[in-house]
Structures are given as C-alpha cells and as structure tokens.
Amino acid sequence: MIDGVEVVRHPRARVARLSVDPATGRVRLTVPKRMALAKAVAWAGEKADWIAAQRAKLPQGRPFVDGAVLAVADRMVRLVWREGASRAVALSTDRHPAADRGPWSRDDVNPANSPAPLSSPRRRLGSSAARSDASLPEDPSLRWGDVRGERGGDMDRNAILTCGGPIDQFPTRIERWLKREALRVLAEDTAHYAAKAGVTVAQVAIGDPKARWGSCSSSGTIRYSWRLLLAPTHVRRATVAHEVAHRVHMHHGPAFHALVAELFEGDPDAARHWLRAEGAALHWFGRVSSSV
C-alpha cells in the first residue's frame, strides 16, 4: 500500500489503471508488469481529485445503531437498544414476538446450527416430479401483516429488533442475529430449489465475500453472502436458484441459464441487474460512511 492506494502488478495489464471498489471504498492501482513503479505511482498521485470524486459517489454507510431501519427479507425493521433489557436480540411484531430467532418459521428453529444435509435424490429436470414438489418457503407477508417502509408504504412501528447490554456491543449482536437468520432463510430457499431440481446439496454456509454473492463447490457445498438477507426477496431467491443450478451444470453456458430460468419463478436477469446496480450498497450495512 502507498498512501492508502493498493498497488497490484498485473501480467496482462497494458496501461496503469486506477479503480475504486464500490463495496469497500479501497483504491487500487493496477500496474503493467514491466512499467516502472515510480512512474505509475507519480501518475496516480496526480489523480487525487478523481479519487475524491469517486469516493464521494460511494454508498452511504448504514451502521447498526439504535434507531436505524433496515429491510430484512423485504420487511422494514427498526433496531432498538434498551438499557436494562436482555442482551439476547429479540424480534417482535404485533403477530409474532420471537427471541433470538427469525420471524418466518412456523416452528422454533436454531439457526445457529448448521442445516441438515439436503438429500433429495437427483432427477431429470424434465420429469413432472422435479417440477411439482416443494413449495416456496412461506411468504413473510402472510405473518408479518402490512409491514412496509423504504420498499413501499409506512413501517409497522412494532417491527423491531431489540437488544440490551453494553451499547458498544449492540452492532455486533445485531449483525450476529442477522447472520444466523440469513443462514436459516438461505438454507430453506436452497432446500426448495434443490428439491425442485432433484439434486443434493451437502451443506449450506454463509460468509461475507466482497466479490461474489454465492458459490457452489464440486463437493456440493453452497456458500452465500449473508447480506442477501438485506436484498429484495426475488434477488435472494434468484441467487439461490443460480447456485443450485450449478449442482447440474458447473459452467455458465446456455444449458445452465436455461435451468436457472426453469427453477426460478421470476426473471433471473432482473435480479442480476439489481445486484449490479444496487448490490454494492449492501456491503455498507453495519459500517460508518468513513470506513474503507
């Protein structure tokens, strides 16, 4: 790093290039293999105004603080710290109070545990069985009532995530709850599409990658960004359908995209467009504006 700029030598680069990562705010200087480093650094030093302008366009930080509002699986939720309350995060609504678990499950679940392996036998996608079984997880709106906000209408003031304990630990506890809920919801979505495709998934896991929203290994493990929980539901489910389709086609050819279109109930292209246009902002949840 030179003056806050990450310098990377790239064997196929033909010219020096500056870029600002919209997910992190980091500045990268890509330098051709045979270019003098001093020359590239001097050139980058002349671009301070350009760097400042690009950073000014970055998404705003959305820290997890008392009073913040965020969309969780299409439902607007207010974060509340209460002095003297339990340190365990509790979600409550008029219809479904829940302590340290998500609001979308009929039964008590422990999202901290890894989900059980998804073990439907492989079937051909053209079979009627592969197309008809496994309904989608229940629509959250059926039990949350009319909870709206930035994505439509007024927010239900009773949709809150509450946490007590030391206030400096509040952001960490909220993020931990969101990650557990993301694992549970994404595991349910994966089970649905795996059953529909007639494939097996060995394990569902979450992480916080900056360059991709999901990945599928040849061993059958699918990993997702936990931040998909903060994206619109159709975007999250399209991403899941994409990764499950890799259990059949480990490439991005025409057969793969045809399978994604068959599995997903909507338009996967619209979901990809949303992630390209808006996905970077998801990485700024839990961060202050100045963080990089």
Side-chain angles (χ1 to χ4, degrees):
M1 300 288 289
I2 299 177
D3 295 328
V5 178
E6 180 184 7
V7 179
V8 178
R9 289 277 190 182
H10 198 291
R12 294 191 297 276
R14 294 186 176 184
V15 296
R17 186 170 67 90
L18 273 173
S19 60
V20 178
D21 187 342
T24 64
R26 294 191 181 97
V27 182
R28 171 176 289 190
L29 171 61
T30 302
V31 182
K33 184 178 181 180
R34 297 184 179 181
M35 178 178 283
L37 183 59
K39 178 182 178 180
V41 171
W43 172 78
E46 299 172 357
K47 303 297 181 181
D49 290 343
W50 181 88
I51 292 173
Q54 297 306 306
R55 280 184 160 166
K57 298 177 184 178
L58 291 172
Q60 293 296 306
R62 302 287 297 272
F64 299 140
V65 296
D66 182 30
V69 177
L70 62 153
V72 180
D74 280 348
R75 292 296 170 264
M76 304 311 295
V77 180
R78 184 180 299 278
L79 308 182
V80 175
W81 176 79
R82 285 181 178 162
E83 186 175 5
S86 170
R87 298 187 182 194
V89 178
L91 183 136
S92 61
T93 68
D94 283 340
R95 296 188 178 187
H96 192 107
D100 207 27
R101 74 173 193 270
W104 300 284
S105 179
R106 291 188 181 90
D107 304 312
D108 291 345
V109 295
N110 185 359
N113 294 334
S114 297
L118 310 176
S119 56
S120 59
R122 173 169 289 192
R123 295 188 295 267
R124 293 181 61 84
L125 262 290
S127 69
S128 59
R131 295 184 180 186
S132 62
D133 58 2
S135 60
L136 278 169
E138 184 178 0
D139 186 334
S141 66
L142 297 180
R143 273 178 291 164
W144 273 60
D146 190 14
V147 182
R148 298 174 184 155
E150 293 177 3
R151 293 181 186 163
D154 297 327
M155 188 189 73
D156 183 341
R157 284 170 291 187
N158 292 321
I160 59 175
L161 272 178
T162 305
C163 180
I167 194 167
D168 62 319
Q169 296 178 13
F170 181 79
T172 299
R173 294 180 186 278
I174 293 296
E175 183 169 319
R176 190 179 301 148
W177 185 94
L178 291 169
K179 288 179 177 179
R180 287 197 299 268
E181 185 61 15
L183 177 59
R184 189 189 66 77
V185 170
L186 287 162
E188 287 185 358
D189 289 344
T190 302
H192 162 72
Y193 289 115
K196 192 173 182 180
V199 298
T200 60
V201 174
Q203 183 184 13
V204 173
I206 60 167
D208 194 13
K210 298 299 186 290
R212 58 175 61 188
W213 299 104
S215 63
C216 177
S217 71
S218 58
S219 65
T221 296
I222 296 181
R223 296 183 62 87
Y224 301 102
S225 167
W226 73 266
R227 296 177 185 276
L228 286 168
L229 184 71
L230 308 178
T233 295
H234 79 277
V235 173
R236 185 191 76 240
R237 286 176 173 164
T239 305
V240 173
H242 180 108
E243 298 307 330
V244 169
H246 278 311
R247 294 293 294 129
V248 180
H249 302 293
M250 292 295 286
H251 56 74
H252 289 103
F256 166 81
H257 289 294
L259 176 55
V260 174
E262 183 175 352
L263 292 175
F264 184 54
E265 296 76 13
D267 179 7
D269 289 338
R272 286 193 292 270
H273 176 76
W274 191 95
L275 284 173
R276 285 195 298 268
E278 309 291 344
L282 298 181
H283 291 289
W284 291 77
F285 279 90
R287 298 168 56 189
V288 297
S289 299
S290 60
S291 63
V292 296

